[in-house]
Each structure stands twice: as structure tokens, then as C-alpha cells.
């Protein structure tokens, strides 16, 4: 790829589709370096998956077989998080509350233990810093765990941030350096002429010219017209139901992120305990269901029985942008000047630092970071027939 700055000058005009943490973060990075940036969102900024997420930075304990490249990307982003959070605090005045207590993956029964050990064997082969700890040691760290406990995997580097504060911080930081955020302004179509993108067409009929278009519309990315269906990113919504309970912030029941069979729990500094999440192929359905919430609450109650007394603070539904292989799609799109930054599935918050820096370099320097090279759209191209 030739240098973008050579093609577009020092201050390219960039249209970003999607004001989630990825779009807002890219806007911040680009505008800070002189680009003229407009961000468009179909709704309010930061209120899609960025709002619905739990904020876990779980590169280690969520590592699955077959995801080695994704784990490496997650680890790289995880390492960037402390500096990213500090920089964002300076730029926006908003503290994303990076909590560094780590994560416990709890086994309640011997069956859970066997399943977790199977995963742990693979995760340790990848060199991830995870270790099995006894039931007594697990209870020492989290005294409110259930009476029947087999032990846990201790993950000292899987932390959390408050994703809603992250979205607010990125918005403030982006606006402070001149990016313009256009809320309730859906993009209907990317305008592509002669194989090159030249702007976006809004649903209200206004055309906005741009040298570069970044598609960061999460689960909505496939719905933006302008490309043939087979060229659009293979991203679909994966519904998740979640809820928040209210603990006493001065005496919280838990301090670590806890995974237990069928559920995770993420304690915030303000006393909210985020409980998630269902994983449902239900398109953009937004209904909270008795079955979904019952499953989460029962699983959470089995692990931490004392939640029974906690008030429910909030319940919500979000849509993860799931790609065909559960990994993000980051890199040049199928038209000159078009860049994809979508499909982050369960890892959007974790992957924000590495994604936004890589996309900013792609736009301003024309270079593809080695970290994002495995995540181009080209990996979904059909195999070529033998000649
Ligand atoms: N990363 C947690 C979730 O997708 O539910």
C-alpha cells in the first residue's frame, strides 16, 4: 500500500462510520495528528456494544484453541492498557477505572475443574500467566464464594475498565482535538467511484466528502450499502442479555472479576456488580427474557449465594459484532481509501488500544502493523480454484 499521507496530504479528511469505542478512539488518534475527522452514528455516541459491554480485558482466561493470533493481539492490547488509560485521563479528565485485581475462573464441582483444566493445558502451552489455585486459596481471595468450591484458575493480568466511562472519555478526547461527532446521523451508503471511496451518503440525503472512510459500525457494519454483499465484512449481531446488581461500595461482596459456570461477574468501584451474559443468535432482537435473566441469576447465585439480597440496578441487551471466525476485521477494505475496523465480537474493549493505534498508522502512514496483519478481510476470500 502506498503512503496515505502522500496521497491525502498531512491532514486527510476522514469519515468514520460508528461512534463506539473503536470509532471514537480512531477519531481521537487521527484528529490529534491533524486529520479532519467526522464521526457518524445511527444513534447516540457510545451507546451500542460499547455501552452494553462488561469491560473485561480478558486476553488470557478467554483464550480458546484455534485463536492463537487473536490471543497475541489481545495480549499486545492488554499491555498497552495502563498507558492508554493514563493518556485518556490526561486528554479527557475521565478516569476509566482500570482495576487491576485480576480474574478468577471458579470451579464449583469436580466436573467444572476437569473442564477448566482441559482449557488451562492449552492456555499454558501459549505461555499465558494462569495458574490453578486451591479451594482454600480461592476462598481467601473471595470469601463470599459458595460453600462447595473445587478451586479456581488465577489470572493475574486479566483486568477490567468501566466501558461506559471509556466511551465518554474517548468522545471528550476526540472532541477536544477537533473531531466532530454526529449523533443520530445514520450513514446509508459509502460512496465508491472507480474503485476508490470518496465519502459517505447519509440517510438524510446529504453527501459528505472524505479521502478515507473507516467502517467501525460494529454489528451494523454489513448494513451500510455501497459494496456488493460478498465484499461487506461478514459481521453479525450476537445478542447478549446482562444485568447489574448493587453492592455496598464500602463493603463489596467481590473485588475480582469472577467467571463461574455459565456466568461472569464484574465488580465496579461504585458497587455495581455486572452480571453477564447470554450469547444468542437472535439478530437485533432487544428483548430481555425471563429465561435469559433466570439463567444468569441462577449461575451467579450458585457461585456467590449472597447476591440473593442485592437490589437489581439495571438490565439491558447488547449486540456483539461477531465475525465469521470471532476475530476482528481490521485493515484495508475492498476499495481504495476504505478501512475496516469492526467485528471485535467479545473483545472490543480489550482491543481498543491496539486497534485505534494501528488504524491511525494505516491512515496517516499507509503502514499495516504486524499486529493486525492476520486480521484483514482477505482471510475470508474464497480459495482460488486450481489452474
Ligand atoms: N466479553 C464478554 C461478552 O461478550 O459477554
Amino acid at each position: 500500500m502506498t503512503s496515505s499521507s502522500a496521497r491525502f496530504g498531512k491532514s486527510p479528511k476522514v469519515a468514520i462510520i460508528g461512534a463506539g469505542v473503536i470509532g471514537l478512539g480512531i477519531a481521537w488518534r487521527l484528529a490529534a495528528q491533524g486529520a479532519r475527522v467526522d464521526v457518524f452514528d445511527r444513534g447516540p455516541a457510545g451507546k451500542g456494544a460499547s455501552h452494553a459491554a462488561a469491560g473485561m480485558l480478558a486476553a488470557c482466561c478467554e483464550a480458546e484453541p484455534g485463536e492463537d493470533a487473536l490471543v497475541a493481539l489481545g495480549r499486545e492490547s492488554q499491555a498497552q492498557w495502563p498507558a492508554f488509560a493514563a493518556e485518556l485521563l490526561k486528554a479527557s479528565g475521565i478516569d476509566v477505572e482500570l482495576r487491576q485485581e485480576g480474574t478468577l475462573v471458579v470451579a464449583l464441582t469436580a466436573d467444572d475443574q476437569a473442564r477448566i483444566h482441559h482449557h488451562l493445558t492449552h492456555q499454558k502451552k501459549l505461555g499465558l500467566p494462569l495458574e490453578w489455585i486451591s479451594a482454600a486459596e480461592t476462598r481467601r481471595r473471595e470469601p463470599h464464594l459458595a460453600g462447595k468450591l473445587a478451586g479456581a484458575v488465577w489470572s493475574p493480568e486479566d483486568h477490567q475498565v468501566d466501558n461506559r466511562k471509556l466511551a465518554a472519555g474517548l468522545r471528550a478526547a476526540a472532541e477536544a482535538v477537533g473531531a466532530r461527532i454526529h449523533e443520530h446521523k445514520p450513514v446509508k451508503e459509502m460512496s465508491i467511484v472507480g474503485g476508490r471511496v470518496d465519502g459517505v451518503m447519509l440517510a438524510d440525503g446529504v453527501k459528505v466528502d472524505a479521502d478515507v472512510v473507516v467502517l467501525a459500525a460494529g454489528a451494523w457494519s454489513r448494513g451500510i450499502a455501497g459494496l456488493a454483499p460478498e465484499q461487506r465484512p461478514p459481521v453479525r449481531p450476537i445478542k447478549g442479555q446482562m444485568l447489574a446488581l448493587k453492592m455496598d461500595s464500602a463493603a463489596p461482596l467481590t473485588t475480582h472479576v469472577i467467571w463461574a459456570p455459565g456466568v461472569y461477574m464484574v465488580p465496579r468501584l461504585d458497587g455495581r456488580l455486572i452480571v453477564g451474559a447470554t450469547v444468542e443468535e437472535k439478530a437485533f432482537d432487544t428483548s430481555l427474557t425471563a429465561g435469559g435473566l433466570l439463567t444468569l441469576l441462577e449461575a451467579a447465585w450458585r457461585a456467590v449465594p449472597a447476591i440473593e439480597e442485592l437490589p437489581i440496578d439495571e438490565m439491558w441487551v447488547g449486540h456483539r459484532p461477531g465475525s465469521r471466525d470471532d476475530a476482528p476485521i481490521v485493515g484495508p477494505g475492498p476499495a481504495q481509501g476504505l478501512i475496516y475496523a469492526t467485528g471485535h465480537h467479545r473483545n472490543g474493549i480489550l482491543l481498543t488500544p491496539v486497534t485505534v493505534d494501528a488504524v491511525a498508522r494505516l491512515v496517516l502512514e499507509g503502514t499495516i502493523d504486524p499486529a493486525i496483519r492476520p486480521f484483514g478481510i482477505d482471510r475470508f476470500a474464497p480459495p482460488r480454484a486450481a489452474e
Side-chain angles (χ1 to χ4, degrees):
M1 188 177 179
T2 53
S3 162
S4 293
S5 38
R7 284 201 314 257
F8 307 127
K10 279 198 164 31
S11 49
K13 194 163 172 4
V14 183
I16 299 175
I17 310 173
V21 290
I22 299 294
L24 292 169
I26 293 168
W28 174 33
R29 289 312 205 206
L30 287 176
Q33 293 178 76
R36 290 166 296 156
V37 181
D38 287 278
V39 188
F40 301 93
D41 201 287
R42 53 190 295 283
K47 288 292 196 288
S50 303
H51 187 79
M56 290 181 291
L57 311 179
C60 302
C61 67
E62 283 203 58
E64 301 265 357
E67 293 186 343
D68 298 8
L70 179 59
V71 173
L73 186 71
R75 290 290 279 159
E76 186 161 339
S77 205
Q78 201 174 44
Q80 291 175 15
W81 252 108
F84 189 81
E87 197 185 342
L88 186 58
L89 173 60
K90 221 164 138 194
S92 68
I94 295 176
D95 184 354
V96 299
E97 295 176 0
L98 171 63
R99 290 192 69 171
Q100 306 196 64
E101 285 90 345
T103 295
L104 288 164
V105 184
V106 171
L108 300 179
T109 65
D111 276 359
D112 299 336
Q113 183 176 350
R115 187 174 34 77
I116 288 173
H117 265 282
H118 178 70
H119 264 95
L120 185 59
T121 308
H122 168 74
Q123 291 162 333
K124 290 201 82 102
K125 274 195 201 134
L126 296 178
L128 297 175
L130 297 165
E131 63 169 309
W132 177 257
I133 58 173
S134 68
E137 178 55 24
T138 307
R139 192 177 311 289
R140 192 187 66 71
R141 296 178 195 206
E142 284 292 0
H144 287 283
L145 283 168
K148 189 165 177 282
L149 192 62
V153 167
W154 164 233
S155 181
E157 294 182 21
D158 282 344
H159 301 311
Q160 58 143 316
V161 294
D162 184 323
N163 43 287
R164 296 181 183 180
K165 291 189 171 148
L166 173 64
L170 290 171
R171 179 196 183 139
E175 288 184 321
V177 287
R180 288 172 304 204
I181 319 277
H182 309 271
E183 301 179 287
H184 305 285
K185 281 278 172 203
V187 171
K188 185 168 154 250
E189 186 171 340
M190 296 175 282
S191 171
I192 297 171
V193 179
R196 143 157 292 293
V197 76
D198 72 355
V200 293
M201 187 66 77
L202 304 183
D204 60 14
V206 171
K207 161 99 188 284
V208 178
D209 294 332
D211 304 309
V212 177
V213 172
V214 179
L215 180 59
W220 289 267
S221 297
R222 260 189 88 74
I224 314 288
L227 289 167
E230 67 277 9
Q231 290 184 307
R232 297 186 192 182
V235 177
R236 68 190 192 287
I238 302 177
K239 177 184 169 188
Q241 301 184 50
M242 300 175 71
L243 62 134
L245 304 173
K246 192 81 186 125
M247 304 185 292
D248 176 354
S249 60
L253 290 181
T254 66
T255 52
H256 302 82
V257 174
I258 296 177
W259 285 78
V263 73
Y264 55 74
M265 285 165 274
V266 186
R268 297 279 199 244
L269 290 176
D270 65 1
R272 271 161 63 94
L273 181 65
I274 313 296
V275 180
T278 63
V279 179
E280 302 172 61
E281 296 281 356
K282 293 259 175 70
F284 284 108
D285 177 40
T286 55
S287 48
L288 286 159
T289 64
L293 296 172
L294 176 67
T295 307
L296 294 175
L297 281 170
E298 192 190 14
W301 170 76
R302 283 191 190 287
V304 183
I307 68 154
E308 190 167 307
E309 300 298 331
L310 299 179
I312 291 180
D313 197 49
E314 189 187 346
M315 298 181 278
W316 66 96
V317 169
H319 296 96
R320 306 171 183 88
S323 78
R324 211 180 287 153
D325 62 2
D326 293 343
I329 301 166
V330 183
Q336 281 286 308
L338 173 61
I339 292 172
Y340 285 158
T342 186
H344 288 74
H345 191 221
R346 301 176 69 92
N347 297 305
I349 307 301
L350 167 67
L351 296 176
T352 294
V354 77
T355 302
V356 305
D357 285 345
V359 171
R361 273 193 287 275
L362 183 54
V363 172
L364 297 173
E365 298 164 21
T367 52
I368 301 178
D369 276 6
I372 61 162
R373 205 158 275 151
F375 302 101
I377 185 72
D378 46 346
R379 72 187 190 271
F380 298 116
R384 292 172 62 161
E387 315 244 307

